Amino acid sequence: MNAHHAVVWIDHTEARIFRFVGEDTIEKLDVHSSLHGHFRNKHASTAHRSEDHPFHHEVIDAVKDAEEFLVVGPGKAKLELVRAIHKQHKEMDARLVGVETVDHPTDNQLLAFARGYFRRVDALR
């Protein structure tokens, strides 16, 4: 697995980001959405879920220097993040290696999933 892989687990309330900066070095960042309550309100404006939300910007900032990254999560938040990347940071599209549905893993489960995913991606090259 190459250095500088990253995995983002995201839902509408938080994102957990892990950067693999070496074979044995992992950096973790937790980002919390300030609009948590808005996503549960059926009548909340869809603008609150916009790809322009500062929550997405903070998550994108955390992986913008990664050579390759993976986005996972249980629902639509992962797709909203990918749309934000595509809309505002097109240069990152080629480094996005996958988008997968992953429920609510522990940190260790997420790391194991990401390592396996990146190994499979690397093996296909």
Side-chain angles (χ1 to χ4, degrees), residues 2 4-6 66-70 95 97 118 121-122 125:
N2 293 331
H4 303 292
H5 283 133
E67 291 175 16
E68 295 179 323
F69 64 100
L70 169 66
R95 294 182 284 148
V97 296
F118 287 121
V121 167
D122 289 347
R125 293 192 183 124

Side-chain angles (χ1 to χ4, degrees), residues 6-7 10 17-18 25 38 41-42 53 59 71 76 87 89 101-102 107 120 123:
V7 60
I10 188 168
I17 302 143
F18 291 91
T25 306
H38 291 284
N41 181 347
K42 283 191 218 177
H53 190 279
V59 173
V71 176
K76 293 180 182 179
K87 179 179 174 186
H89 300 278
T101 299
V102 175
D107 288 352
R120 285 189 301 276

Side-chain angles (χ1 to χ4, degrees), residues 87-123:
K87 179 179 174 186
Q88 300 166 3
H89 300 278
K90 226 171 187 24
E91 74 281 0
M92 293 176 66
D93 282 351
R95 294 182 284 148
L96 174 61
V97 296
V99 180
E100 298 289 335
T101 299
V102 175
D103 195 16
H104 288 81
T106 65
D107 288 352
N108 287 337
Q109 290 170 328
L110 180 57
L111 289 169
F113 179 84
R115 282 185 180 111
Y117 196 94
F118 287 121
R119 282 189 184 106
R120 285 189 301 276
V121 167
D122 289 347

Side-chain angles (χ1 to χ4, degrees), residues 3-5 18-28 115:
H4 303 292
H5 283 133
F18 291 91
R19 291 177 49 95
F20 298 87
V21 294
E23 190 60 37
D24 297 323
T25 306
I26 299 168
E27 298 172 347
K28 180 183 180 189
R115 282 185 180 111

